Amino acid sequence: MSGMTVPRLLVIAVLLTLLGGCSLAPPLPPAPSQPALAEPATLKRQLTFERDDSSEPQTLIALIRLDGNELRAALLTPYGQRLVTLVDDDDGSRYVAGDVPLAEIEKRLPPAEWLAARLQWCLWPAGALREAFAGTSWRLTLTDEAREIHHHGRLIARISPADSQAGRRGPVLLDDRQGQYRLRITPLKEAVDE
């Protein structure tokens, strides 16, 4: 076997198995509780996903419903076809099929957990994020220009502008160093937050 013994091969196989199951990415961040709302709110936003690999940006329309501890985002093409609905609730984050099979969606969009966390980072007030991150390895810092999300001191994402609920009032850019994505969230002119 060209100089490699069976025990050595076994050790290498075990190490590869262990390393294959490990991810260098941080674990999912704790989900903040949605701020108490007098009435459920629906936000109409344009989402533009840009990957670092310089592939073509993808633009979708999102109808984001905030109600209790649930976030639902119907993701539509600019022509109105419902691709999928993102659901984030007590059972976790997941995509629910729309007009396109889920297998196709999973090739085109980031994982549901990623998108739900990033929408929360942009839409929730800083206080809700700080409360969720308390006692964990996650931190939110605010600068004059941006919100910054850190995991074990490492910058994961920068969200600008840094106002208290960035995505609710105006356009926002989330620059995600972990996911190698940029997500632009732009309010649609005809959108009325209810």
Side-chain angles (χ1 to χ4, degrees):
M1 274 207 196
S2 63
M4 220 177 259
T5 64
V6 173
R8 190 175 208 176
L9 286 173
L10 184 60
V11 168
I12 291 172
V14 169
L15 285 173
L16 288 175
T17 301
L18 290 173
L19 290 174
C22 296
S23 172
L24 297 177
L28 291 174
S33 297
Q34 181 177 309
L37 300 173
E39 296 288 327
T42 300
L43 310 174
K44 190 172 183 183
R45 299 293 184 262
Q46 176 179 298
L47 305 181
T48 303
F49 299 90
E50 300 171 22
R51 290 190 60 99
D52 283 356
D53 65 10
S54 69
S55 58
E56 195 67 28
Q58 182 174 12
T59 298
L60 299 174
I61 304 301
L63 301 175
I64 304 167
R65 181 88 170 152
L66 308 174
D67 188 6
N69 283 332
E70 183 177 84
L71 176 147
R72 293 179 75 82
L75 302 178
L76 316 169
T77 66
Y79 308 105
Q81 178 187 25
R82 185 172 73 91
L83 297 176
V84 70
T85 299
L86 169 69
V87 177
D88 181 69
D89 58 19
D90 292 337
D91 296 326
S93 302
R94 63 204 170 279
Y95 288 124
V96 177
D99 296 335
V100 176
L102 282 178
E104 184 63 30
I105 292 299
E106 290 167 355
K107 294 177 195 173
R108 296 171 63 180
L109 291 177
E113 297 84 4
W114 182 92
L115 183 54
R118 275 48 180 189
L119 288 174
Q120 290 167 347
W121 293 352
C122 293
L123 297 174
W124 268 229
L129 295 174
R130 282 199 171 110
E131 184 177 312
F133 294 168
T136 73
S137 54
W138 292 87
R139 294 286 173 267
L140 167 71
T141 59
L142 297 175
T143 68
D144 289 340
E145 298 85 32
R147 291 177 172 203
E148 294 180 347
I149 307 293
H150 298 265
H151 182 256
H152 284 298
R154 181 174 159 242
L155 178 65
I156 300 298
R158 176 173 286 128
I159 302 141
S160 54
D163 71 353
S164 64
Q165 291 174 288
R168 286 207 164 167
R169 294 194 178 89
V172 65
L173 173 63
L174 179 137
D175 186 10
D176 186 324
R177 299 299 76 219
Q178 174 194 355
Q180 299 180 333
Y181 265 97
R182 278 170 307 288
L183 172 61
R184 294 180 191 279
I185 303 174
T186 308
L188 295 178
K189 291 177 185 170
E190 65 274 18
V192 175
D193 294 349
E194 298 175 356

